[in-house]
Every structure is written in structure tokens, then in C-alpha cells.
Amino acid sequence: MEHLEEVIRVLEEVKPGVDYRREDNLFAGHILASLEIMMLVSELNDEFGITVTLPYIKPENFRSAQTICDMVETILKEE
Amino acid sequence: MKNILQGIERTVLRFPDRAAVADGETELSYLELLILAKRIGSHLAGTCGRGRPAAIYLDKTPACAAAMLGTAYSGNFYTVLDTGMPLERIGRIFETLRPAAVLTDRAHLERARAFCPEEKLVMLEDAGRTPVCQPLLDEIRAGMTAEDPLYVLYTSGSTGRPKGVVVSHRAALAYTRWAADTFGVDETTVFGSQTPFYFSMSVTDLYTALQTGARLQIIPPALFSFPLPLIEYLNRWRVNTLYWVPSALGVMASWDAFSYEKPRFVRKVLFAGERMPAKTLAYWRRFVPDALYADLFGPTETTDICTYYIVDRTFADDEDLPIGRPCDNCRALILDEEGNEADRGELYIGGPFLASGYYNDPEKTAAAFVRNPLNSAWPEPLYRTGDLVARGENGELVYLGRKDHQIKHLGYRIELGEIEAAAGGAEGVDVCACVYDETADALTLFYQGRASAESLTARLRERLPAYMLPARAVRLSSMPHNASGKIDRRELETRAAVLLGKQKEGVAC
């Protein structure tokens, strides 16, 4: 949870104009378009000094700012 | 056969219970698809007359395929609209299309109301419950010819007004027969369908499937963001044939997804729509070595494809794939600016794959669909592709670029594709696109990959003459893509103009 604000900031950089605090289905409204995930992952890697490996790139991890944050924290713990 | 539906009716007799179109959530067997299409056709025949356009405002689902066929049953023709399309663009399409009906569903009703008057809205849910009126459908069929349009597909026009390409039943039949014969499509084929129904490539997988008894497995678009779930999906549905844009195939290479999991059933990989980077092809061939790979080439105005090349050798990273030879039943002429046959010039296409023209646009039709200048005996129609090609040593055609991508910079004629081939072959460049800003007379290269702009520029200096060097190389974490999944050149042109403007004002960027 402690990284949620940073995740939201990264999301806002990649795709501004979305209320990431409330949005809990980033795919339903085509909010995150197909190839933007790659951009997002590259930003998350830089921001948190982590490597989001391919097995983490699955829809359930990118549904909301919260699920992205949970994923980042899991990776931080593992690394 | 005079009507695309006849081929599908034959398939239904052979394989009534096999899945025709599926998307992971719903599935229609051939018989179910036929019945739903006939219901929709019976409904539309009663509401929008004959020989009129109907717009289809639905997501890419099995029911959408039934709606397309239903329009044909009703003696009308369809235009599939992108449900994510800005309303303004729909408005521009409607300026020429003037549809008799807009077929939509409850999920899209609210948005459809913003561009369509209530009396023209047809709900899929209602149409799908209408009883089939076979005598009416028979009467409609009897009155139709092979020249009747099957669909009008809108492509972007250079002036900003979309052009509606009219494709007849004859063209769709001739084209799908070629595609099925050439690539051995039959009832064992499972297409993993990537391209939207409002894009010409989808004609190949949808109609070739329905003519042969193959299964069209629609891939949910969101999966193209998630390589491993995408591969799982391909494996789960035993997808054995892909016909994707190279950008979609490139997703696997960018993530090195095949090091984790491979598509186990894929045996044919066809691609079109943009240049295939040799590196992406090499990646696929390394991990899926037994598949047939083919580069297909053609504009919407030849239904989908007019030349093709079956990959039979390896390519260096900076080498371009040829576009091969004309499809059987296609005439391909290379004409110079005086209209004489040449080994290098503009590609003209003739034969039955040709579209009938642009809908409600006689001027653009006359400019692009011309008489064969080499034949004075009768008016033989040819389509001027606007593509520059050359005949290679072994007779294969090589794509040089768009006539309108051929730019004049510092007095030289330059193909942007040549710069892209040089940059695309560089270490650490996954994909790239070069755009030209006429106002600033400057080239900007955008790329995605690990390479630094400095190392890429240094490499280009080794490969290209000074006048072809981009003013700057800009690294993007992700290339912008348009609705069809192709690199969005317009967006890149806009970004280049902004960058060049800032440079002019002395703003650091």
C-alpha cells in the first residue's frame, strides 16, 4: 500500500486524465490501450528499480492502480 | 457462384455443427450462424429496402459476423464501424455513406443514439429474434448479381475525408478462393483472428474460413498487451493459422515471450498491412521453425491482397522482404510516369479482386480506378495503388514505399522506407518509423528499443548518405498504433511537428 501514490503518479504520466484512485477496470473502457502496457512496465521498472518479468504481465495485475501496486510490492519483496 | 453467401450455405451443408466463429465467450456453429444471419436478413429486408448501406455498430463478436452476413441476406451491404471511433469521424463517414439503418445492440445503444436518428436504429436483439422469411430471402437472392456490393470499407483519405471502398460479392469470392487455395485453408484450419472487422485484412480470415469450414477464433484485443495469456489462448483453442499485422507479431519478439511458452499448434503465419521487420520474422522462425511464413501485400481496393511472397530464405536484419509475385487471377503492371511499362514505378492492379470504386465519390474513383493505358482496344480497369515497386533480379517485386511517402528533401528523392530499413536493422532497435515534415523540411526517426539515439545516429551515418540522415532520432517506450494495430504515422507526424516547433523556439526537449 505504501507505494500506491507512486504507482498512481506513474500511471498519470503514461496516460493522464484518468481517475486512477477510483477506476477498477482499466480494460473495460479501453483506458489502457493494447501497447501502452509496455510503456507502463518500462516506467515502473525505472521508478521502482525492479524488473517486471513476463509472467507478471497478465490482465489481473493491471486491472487497477491497486493491483499494479500489489504486483510491484510482490516483486520488491522477491528482489 | 454469384454471392458470398452461397459458399457459406455449402459449408453449412457439410459441417452444420462445427464452430464457425467464436471469441472465447460465445461460439456460433455454422448452422447457428446461418440461422442468425437469415433472421437478421429477414428483419433488415423489411426495414431498409434493397441495395442500400447498413452501418454495423457492434464489437467484434460472432454476432457481429452474423450481422454482416445478415445484411447481405437482406440484399443490402454493410459498413462496420469501430465502436471506439470518435463521433466526428463517424459523421464524416456518414456524409458519403448515408446508411439506411444502423445495426447495434443494447450495450452500444446510448452511443449510437448520438449519431443515428431513432427511426434508423435496428437492435441486434430484435433482429435476431425475427422469424426467417425464406421466400423473401430467395426472391432477394434471385434479384442480385455478383456485382452487387458486399461491403463498403472506409480507409483514411489523404485529405482527411475517409474513402468508402466498395467491394462486390464477385471480388470477395474471387479473392477468398485464391487465399484458400494458396494457403491450404480447409475445415482443419483454426484462424486466430487479430484484425478488426472494419479492416480489410479481416476479410481474408473471416470469409476464407466461412467458405471452407474453418474456425475463426477471435482473439480479445486486450490480449495483445499480455503475451503469455495470448499464447495460452492460442494453445487453448489450437489456433494453427495467424494472419496478423507485423506489429502484433512483434509483441512476442519485444517481450521475448517464446522463451517462456510457445504457440504449439501454429503452422501458418501470414502477415500484411505494414513492413515486416526482418528481426521479428527471424525471431518467429527461430521459435516456430516449421511454420509457413508469407508476406501478403495489397490495398483495400484489391479486396485485401494483390501480391504475396512465401518466405523461402533468411534475411539480414536490415534487409526488406520482397512483396513477391501477383496472386493468381491478379494482373500487376509497373508503369512509369509516362504510363509505359517499366521495372521500377507505380504498381497498377487489374483482375477480379478489384473494388468497384469509392462510394458516392466519383472524383476519387475516377482518379484511382483508371483504364489500362497499354490497352486501347477496350476499357480494362486498373487500380493505381500509389505504391512504388521495382522488379528484382529473380522477378520478385520489391516494395519501395508509398508514392506519397516518397519525399523530396535537399533536392533528392527519398524513400522513407529506405531509412527505416537501415534503422530497423540496427542493434537494439525493435521497430521504427521515419516521418517527414514538409514545413520544416526535416526528417524525424522514431524508434522503440534499447539503442541510444547517439548510437543509432552513428550507425545511420555509416549506412546512409548525408541527405537521408534524420534530423533527430527519438526513442519511444512504445510506438503509437492506430485502430488497425499499425504504426500510427499521423500521430508520429504530429509529434515530429511539435518537436521541430520546440526546436525552432529554442525550447529544450
Side-chain angles (χ1 to χ4, degrees), chain A residues 6-15 20 26-27 31-48 50 52 57-58 61-65 67-69 71-72, chain B residues 225-226 255 477-478:
Chain A
E6 284 164 270
V7 167
I8 289 174
R9 208 181 58 238
V10 171
L11 275 164
E12 280 166 350
E13 274 171 31
V14 172
K15 183 105 179 188
Y20 289 105
L26 294 175
F27 300 113
I31 292 170
L32 275 186
S34 246
L35 290 131
E36 281 165 351
I37 301 283
M38 204 171 217
M39 191 156 44
L40 174 63
V41 166
S42 146
E43 296 292 328
L44 290 172
N45 287 346
D46 289 351
E47 178 73 22
F48 294 99
I50 54 175
V52 181
I57 315 294
K58 46 188 179 183
N61 283 346
F62 289 85
R63 235 174 265 291
S64 65
T67 61
I68 295 171
C69 180
M71 172 186 77
V72 166
Chain B
S225 301
F226 303 106
W255 287 101
S477 28
S478 163

Side-chain angles (χ1 to χ4, degrees), chain B residues 158-365:
Chain B
S158 49
T159 54
R161 195 172 76 187
K163 294 181 289 190
V165 181
V166 180
V167 173
S168 65
H169 284 264
R170 181 179 77 124
L173 277 167
Y175 172 69
T176 48
R177 188 173 309 131
W178 169 79
D181 289 351
T182 305
F183 299 111
V185 178
D186 61 21
E187 69 274 18
T188 64
T189 301
V190 181
F191 277 108
S193 165
Q194 178 250 326
T195 55
F197 284 155
Y198 50 83
F199 185 36
S200 61
M201 282 174 68
S202 71
V203 174
T204 302
D205 32 25
L206 175 65
Y207 285 109
T208 308
L210 298 183
Q211 298 293 313
T212 57
R215 174 188 180 107
L216 188 84
Q217 185 69 39
I218 294 169
I219 301 171
L223 279 185
F224 286 92
S225 301
F226 303 106
L228 291 184
L230 173 56
I231 298 169
E232 280 162 27
Y233 186 89
L234 298 178
N235 287 341
R236 179 175 171 208
W237 297 107
R238 297 178 167 254
V239 168
N240 55 26
T241 306
L242 307 179
Y243 180 39
W244 292 2
V245 293
S247 290
L249 294 166
V251 169
M252 300 296 183
S254 300
W255 287 101
D256 187 18
F258 295 157
S259 293
Y260 292 85
E261 178 75 67
K262 289 186 203 55
R264 292 203 303 278
F265 304 96
V266 170
R267 294 293 173 268
K268 284 164 197 161
V269 181
L270 318 178
F271 41 89
E274 57 187 349
R275 281 174 191 240
M276 166 59 104
K279 273 192 275 190
T280 301
L281 177 63
Y283 181 83
W284 273 78
R285 291 179 83 189
R286 179 148 55 98
F287 287 97
V288 191
D290 297 328
L292 171 141
Y293 293 84
D295 186 11
L296 279 61
F297 176 84
T300 304
E301 287 86 345
T302 62
T303 305
D304 181 26
I305 291 307
C306 56
T307 78
Y308 73 112
Y309 163 68
I310 293 182
V311 176
D312 58 358
R313 55 187 190 268
T314 53
F315 292 86
D317 282 353
D318 57 354
E319 213 178 336
D320 269 336
L321 269 69
I323 57 169
R325 294 168 195 282
C327 306
D328 185 35
N329 214 0
C330 255
R331 168 156 302 140
L333 294 175
I334 306 175
L335 301 180
D336 64 17
E337 288 186 6
E338 281 78 47
N340 300 312
E341 262 197 289
D343 280 335
R344 194 183 171 96
E346 186 175 353
L347 180 67
Y348 285 66
I349 300 294
F353 300 3
L354 241 60
S356 315
Y358 299 117
Y359 197 68
N360 273 331
D361 202 336
E363 281 163 26
K364 282 191 177 140
T365 302

Side-chain angles (χ1 to χ4, degrees), chain B residues 19-89:
Chain B
V21 188
D23 64 3
E25 284 184 15
T26 56
E27 183 176 307
L28 288 176
S29 71
Y30 272 93
L31 185 61
E32 288 166 337
L33 177 72
L34 185 87
I35 292 170
L36 183 56
K38 284 186 174 188
R39 287 177 184 275
I40 296 168
S42 302
H43 188 94
L44 287 175
T47 55
C48 64
R50 311 274 185 282
R52 305 282 311 278
I56 296 178
Y57 193 64
L58 295 168
D59 287 332
K60 187 183 178 189
T61 56
C64 182
M68 292 153 76
L69 303 181
T71 312
Y73 266 113
S74 74
N76 295 292
F77 48 94
Y78 62 82
T79 288
V80 177
L81 300 171
D82 172 5
T83 52
M85 188 190 281
L87 294 179
E88 193 199 325
R89 188 160 196 270

